[in-house]
Amino acid sequence: MYDPTVARLTYRALLGRRRALVLGALPLLLIVISVAVRGLTGADDQTASDVLGGLALATMVPIIGVIAGTGAIGPEIDDGSVVYLLSKPLKRPTIIFTKLIVAIAVTMVFSALPTLIAGLILNGNGQQIAVAYTVAALVASIAYAALFLLLGTVSRHAVVFGLVYALVWEALFGSLVPGARTLSVQQWSLAVAHKVAGGQLVTSDVGLTTATVLLVAVTVLATWYAGQKLRSLTLAGEE
């Protein structure tokens, strides 16, 4: 299910000079803001939770997921170079699964690691806040990568749709509209973070069991459907 050649080509595409600069901008901003906040307010648990929840998990993680998930396959479909990949004796689910693994890895490195560093800067992991949000970022990275890889497979405007989901649905409706929170990857990952941290600083509107089921279901279904769409794309090209 994993092809090293496809993985190497995907890593090269995602970590090219221009895209790497974009991927690194938000984590750097998070760390700079964390240093500034720590200098101004000192080590405060509530402030650390607000910064990590509002900036890292609600904004940085989904945006990086958009860049990594859509970038893993979208550009190849847009410029037609995916035809060369599909001409190889590789199963379509293998291509999708390999690209998903790469997208997850890139999203985790550029989101979870900076989240941990920012949390340690903000309050030294007091009340397990840094670790809790890092685990949330890791969990969210998997679901976001699968969702946005699917978007990259089915739409030529995947980045636009992905950003609308990340910035409008997750950041705006997901924080303001109670019903929308149940259908939010952010809230699902916060349920996991709440379990890690305990207490009341990290909360979620979704129970842990429900969140776990939805995270797994969304990841599996998005990956499966992306494989089906890639198969149909191949058939259309052959016709």
Side-chain angles (χ1 to χ4, degrees):
M1 291 296 292
Y2 181 85
D3 186 84
T5 302
V6 174
R8 185 174 64 253
L9 294 173
T10 307
Y11 275 119
R12 186 180 301 172
L14 284 178
L15 299 178
R17 182 177 301 177
R18 183 179 302 176
R19 188 169 276 114
L21 289 175
V22 176
L23 284 169
L26 278 175
L28 180 61
L29 178 62
L30 172 65
I31 292 173
V32 169
I33 290 176
S34 299
V35 171
V37 170
R38 176 62 185 266
L40 292 172
T41 66
D44 181 77
D45 293 341
Q46 184 61 61
T47 300
S49 182
D50 291 342
V51 172
L52 295 179
L55 181 57
L57 194 61
T59 304
M60 182 187 71
V61 180
I63 290 179
I64 290 177
V66 170
I67 297 171
T70 61
I73 196 169
E76 292 177 309
I77 294 177
D78 290 343
D79 63 20
S81 60
V82 71
V83 173
Y84 298 100
L85 181 61
L86 297 178
S87 67
K88 303 300 180 181
L90 292 171
K91 294 182 179 179
R92 304 310 177 246
T94 297
I95 296 173
I96 288 295
F97 183 77
T98 301
K99 287 182 174 293
L100 174 63
I101 294 300
V102 173
I104 290 173
V106 170
T107 305
M108 285 182 172
V109 169
F110 283 91
S111 61
L113 183 58
T115 298
L116 177 61
I117 295 172
L120 294 175
I121 291 172
L122 286 164
N123 77 332
N125 195 37
Q127 300 194 51
Q128 293 292 307
I129 290 175
V131 171
Y133 277 104
T134 299
V135 172
L138 289 170
V139 170
S141 295
I142 299 173
Y144 282 133
L147 279 173
F148 298 134
L149 179 64
L150 172 60
L151 271 180
T153 306
V154 302
S155 174
R156 291 182 177 273
H157 307 289
V159 174
V160 175
F161 292 139
L163 289 175
V164 168
Y165 175 84
L167 299 178
V168 177
W169 183 265
E170 290 277 9
L172 184 59
F173 286 100
S175 60
L176 298 177
V177 182
R181 296 172 187 170
T182 307
L183 301 176
S184 167
V185 174
Q186 177 190 344
Q187 291 296 323
W188 304 341
S189 60
L190 279 173
V192 180
H194 174 70
K195 179 65 175 180
V196 174
Q200 299 301 316
L201 286 175
V202 184
T203 61
S204 173
D205 291 338
V206 183
L208 179 61
T209 301
T210 302
T212 302
V213 171
L214 290 172
L215 283 166
V216 172
V218 165
T219 301
V220 171
L221 289 174
T223 304
W224 172 81
Y225 192 60
Q228 296 303 306
K229 294 300 293 183
L230 192 62
R231 182 179 288 113
S232 68
L233 175 67
T234 307
L235 292 175
E238 290 172 352
E239 292 173 358

